[in-house]
Amino acid sequence: MHDVDKDLLSIQEARIVLETAKNAQFLMKDYGQEFFHNLVRVMIREVQPLISDYVSCEIEETGKGCQKEKEAFVLRFLKAMEAEIGDRTYIGATAKDSAGKILQVGVPLGVIPVLLPSENVVIHTLYSFFAGLQSANAMIAIPHVKATKTATLVIKKMQEIGLCNGLPRGSIHCIENVTECGTQEIINSPSAAVILVLGQKKYTDTTIPKRPIIYGGSGATPVFIERSADTQAAVKMIIESRAYDCGLLPASEQYLIVESTIAEKVKSELIQNGGYFLSKEEEKQLVSLLQPKKDGIQERCVGKSAAWLAKHAGIQIPPDKRLLISEQSYVHEQDPFVNEMNCPILVFYREPDWQHACEKAIHLLQEKNDGHTLAIHSKEPMIVNEFALKKPVARMVVNAPASFSSMGIGSTLPLSPILGGFTRGLGISAENITPVNLTYTREIGYASSKCLEEKTTANNLQDAQVQAQLLEKVLKKMLEK
């Protein structure tokens, strides 16, 4: 038996899937918004009992995260999403005037390939496909090579539900033979309307010159506790947000900036709530384990608990500690803790006042260009407004846990785990990515009342001129006789 060329097999699968998805999306355009809302409702209800199995598969395959916390988060998110379905129309007539005239029409983009990440696989797979379906797009998943089993498991269930509920065959697909050649075949295809890239930064470089990219990544988030804040509440939120699911949630706080006058109080609160401050020797041991590089830290440390990190770094910590904290004085390129770290590590900085804290936050955001979110705890509206106006970020969270709130859980931001990274120079959108980002808007224009009035006046004037000319001709004829 001859060996099968995996690249050729992947390319062939990519071409077949693209053609099938294109045909399916052509049919999907005739389905109404209510069909897709109902379909996603059914999918959410039917996958909920399976979430525990999906999360177990993800952790077994990737080795990242905490089963209990990850499972609780996915279920919480799905319930919030189910409650929102039907609140908004994404396709068809999305806006009308008081007379019932259509002003805007939402139009699906078409076929959308999704490059899935190697962490938070279950939630990203489910949400990206739910968002795509609600906006009537055909979706093609390209799993991360380290998480193909989980993505395939989730999408096969979605395919099954879709077919049973009348969705055209080929509307949902997951690439089974994942190779770089096959991936390039899909993302450079004219059939792909836009590429949804989740976490895989290498595809946001010059790899995709032909198709627009919507990027969603974790982000390294600075958080500032200003002297007027409720420090006890702020610290509890930060600990819960940063330590949850071993630091894997998007936009979880990585850098904590505090004013000097409250620094010791904040440190005491951090220690009481599960934070462990590292000595300089312990920092060296941890850095040796993490081996920070340009794009982050060593892969095997991502999504691991504080206890795991401490053990493998040779550091002794009490069993109740959830977060490892490094206190630093300056921000500089060689500082290993400046790199994005998707694990429960927090960097602690002191600043004399909020103006210096503001500068420090900007410096941290720009040092590695990894921050798309900022958090602040303060009761001073003027200071909050200053941060809102000056920080180069896509979103800012006020007096709330950055990770949950940035995704729209318990906040006024749109519900989405896909946080646009345009402010990091990645992708074409800085927003929380929702179904509306996967459509374009067709504007409908009507003549305004002023325009009609001017046109009527002009027509009346023209009619009067014609009548005058006719009268003049009649009078001339009569005089000639």
Side-chain angles (χ1 to χ4, degrees), residues 154-364:
V154 174
I155 292 170
K156 279 188 175 179
K157 182 61 179 178
M158 296 177 75
Q159 287 174 326
E160 177 190 318
I161 299 169
L163 289 173
C164 289
N165 286 272
L167 190 67
R169 189 177 295 275
S171 305
I172 300 173
H173 198 92
C174 181
I175 297 298
E176 296 180 5
N177 301 289
V178 182
T179 69
E180 187 59 30
C181 291
T183 300
Q184 291 296 329
E185 185 71 21
I186 292 174
I187 63 181
N188 286 306
S189 169
S191 297
V194 64
I195 316 298
L196 189 53
V197 180
L198 307 181
Q200 300 193 50
K201 275 194 278 188
K202 69 175 183 177
Y203 291 105
T204 63
D205 221 341
T206 55
T207 316
I208 313 173
K210 301 174 184 177
R211 306 266 76 82
I213 304 162
I214 294 175
Y215 178 79
S218 296
T221 299
V223 54
F224 171 49
I225 301 180
E226 189 261 333
R227 67 183 68 190
S228 70
D230 181 339
T231 56
Q232 186 177 22
V235 166
K236 285 182 178 179
M237 290 179 194
I238 292 166
I239 292 275
E240 181 63 15
S241 176
R242 183 56 175 162
Y244 198 92
D245 197 22
C246 302
L248 286 179
L249 291 184
S252 63
E253 299 89 338
Q254 181 169 318
Y255 317 111
L256 173 57
I257 309 164
V258 300
E259 290 194 81
S260 299
T261 55
I262 60 169
E264 290 305 317
K265 183 180 179 182
V266 172
K267 282 187 72 172
S268 176
E269 292 286 353
L270 285 166
I271 293 168
Q272 288 178 41
N273 285 278
Y276 179 83
F277 278 83
L278 300 163
S279 67
K280 292 303 174 185
E281 184 58 37
E282 288 171 333
E283 282 179 9
K284 292 178 183 177
Q285 292 173 253
L286 183 59
V287 169
S288 180
L289 171 70
L290 299 172
Q291 296 177 6
K293 50 190 177 183
K294 183 180 179 181
D295 293 330
I297 59 173
Q298 188 177 179
E299 182 69 16
R300 76 188 188 104
C301 297
V302 172
K304 293 297 194 293
S305 67
W308 187 97
L309 293 171
K311 178 182 177 182
H312 287 78
I315 302 168
Q316 295 289 329
I317 66 171
D320 63 333
K321 298 303 179 184
R322 302 179 63 199
L323 208 60
L324 303 180
I325 305 172
S326 168
E327 183 168 358
Q328 299 291 322
S329 301
Y330 307 101
V331 178
H332 53 88
E333 193 174 349
Q334 286 72 38
D335 180 2
F337 292 102
V338 173
N339 294 276
E340 183 178 316
M341 298 182 179
N342 295 328
C343 56
I345 294 174
L346 189 70
V347 190
F348 185 92
Y349 298 99
R350 300 171 188 243
E351 290 297 333
D353 49 48
W354 70 265
Q355 291 93 340
H356 285 85
C358 190
E359 292 174 9
K360 176 63 68 68
I362 292 175
H363 193 174
L364 286 164

Side-chain angles (χ1 to χ4, degrees), residues 1 39 43 47 52 62 77 100 271 287 331 361-362 378 424 452 458:
M1 182 177 178
L39 176 62
M43 285 184 169
V47 300
S52 181
T62 67
F77 188 94
I271 293 168
V287 169
V331 178
I362 292 175
S378 173
R424 301 165 64 188
L452 286 172

Side-chain angles (χ1 to χ4, degrees), residues 220-224 251 253 255 257 357-358 360-362 364-365 371-377 383-384 386-403 405-406 413 423:
T221 299
V223 54
F224 171 49
E253 299 89 338
Y255 317 111
I257 309 164
C358 190
K360 176 63 68 68
I362 292 175
L364 286 164
L365 289 163
H372 51 51
T373 302
L374 171 74
I376 180 172
H377 293 268
I383 296 175
V384 172
E386 282 294 312
F387 270 70
L389 289 168
K390 294 183 179 179
K391 296 300 172 289
V393 289
R395 61 196 59 76
M396 189 173 91
V397 173
V398 182
N399 296 325
S403 57
S405 297
S406 66
L413 291 171
T423 50

